[in-house]
Amino acid sequence: MNEQVKQQLDLINEIDPKYKNKISLNESEAGRIIGVSASSMATYRKQGIGPEYKKFGGRYLYPKIAIAEFMLQTIKTV
């Protein structure tokens, strides 16, 4: 894991202390990190443009590392 991903994971854990002990986040939590609604996360998932996810029963879970990597790929600087 590279240093940028580690830094992004630290930022995710700082957003809400309860995220620190979780490996994966649900659509609502992942959306909060990325800055979109849970329904937008569902749309991203269906279009194949969001972070990697796992399906368990009827729930979609997003590994924090996948969210961190997605954020790093989508951040644009000028």
Side-chain angles (χ1 to χ4, degrees):
M1 180 183 328
N2 73 35
E3 190 61 34
Q4 287 181 318
V5 173
K6 285 182 183 181
Q7 290 174 350
Q8 196 66 38
L9 284 171
D10 289 340
L11 290 173
I12 290 169
N13 290 331
E14 288 175 14
I15 290 173
D16 192 322
K18 70 180 179 182
Y19 296 166
K20 188 173 184 174
N21 295 323
K22 291 185 172 189
I23 295 171
S24 297
L25 304 177
N26 64 35
E27 274 186 334
S28 178
E29 294 167 333
R32 182 174 177 212
I33 298 297
I34 294 172
V36 300
S37 67
S39 62
S40 291
M41 288 299 294
T43 301
Y44 292 171
R45 174 178 41 79
K46 292 172 189 172
Q47 293 176 351
I49 59 173
E52 181 182 319
Y53 64 90
K54 306 288 184 193
K55 183 176 180 183
F56 293 97
R59 295 183 56 178
Y60 295 93
L61 298 176
Y62 298 81
K64 287 193 307 188
I65 193 162
I67 297 169
E69 290 169 346
F70 175 78
M71 297 280 295
L72 289 171
Q73 292 172 358
T74 57
I75 293 173
K76 305 285 186 229
T77 58
V78 179

